[in-house]
Amino acid sequence: LGEPPPAGEPLDPLVSLFLRRERRQQRRERDSSPGQRLQRFVRRKFFLFRRSALMTLLALRNLALGRPSPERLAQEVAFASWRGEEEEARPEADGGAPRGPEL
């Protein structure tokens, strides 16, 4: 990482995809306005705090009531890890209501 690939050697498809995505991300961040940067920062921190709070509550519940089934636990972790990407990718057909498994 950080070094250019050797000349004449074909890149692995996953490596080239990763490098393209990184370049696109860096370009997007470099070309964005201070307002957009602030919005991205606040959004990242909000979802970090949300996940931390939900995982803490799940852990406390599991300590008090016992461990739930692996399927339910996987659903709850997926819900806690949700970052809203689906909402950005799809049009506002349903009013923008976030979708996730219920706790």
Side-chain angles (χ1 to χ4, degrees):
L1 294 177
E3 296 179 11
E9 224 176 281
L11 284 179
D12 184 63
L14 289 176
V15 172
S16 63
L17 177 67
F18 173 77
L19 290 174
R20 276 196 311 261
R21 186 177 293 158
E22 282 297 310
R23 274 187 242 125
R24 197 174 348 159
Q25 177 72 18
Q26 288 174 351
R27 197 175 320 117
R28 185 183 76 144
E29 289 178 5
R30 188 178 55 238
D31 295 342
S32 63
S33 70
Q36 290 171 328
R37 290 180 188 178
L38 178 65
Q39 183 181 15
R40 244 190 335 269
F41 173 79
V42 169
R43 182 178 175 84
R44 272 196 303 257
K45 295 304 175 185
F46 168 76
F47 282 109
L48 178 70
F49 178 75
R50 175 188 179 273
R51 184 175 193 278
S52 298
L54 287 172
M55 294 298 275
T56 301
L57 291 173
L58 290 172
L60 292 173
R61 188 214 51 206
N62 293 348
L63 284 173
L65 303 176
R67 197 170 149 200
S69 69
E71 294 84 23
R72 172 145 182 179
L73 194 57
Q75 274 186 331
E76 292 169 345
V77 170
F79 178 74
S81 299
W82 179 75
R83 297 180 57 96
E85 284 88 12
E86 301 90 37
E87 186 175 293
E88 292 176 353
R90 62 185 162 80
E92 298 283 330
D94 61 350
R99 291 184 182 178
E102 294 182 14
L103 290 179

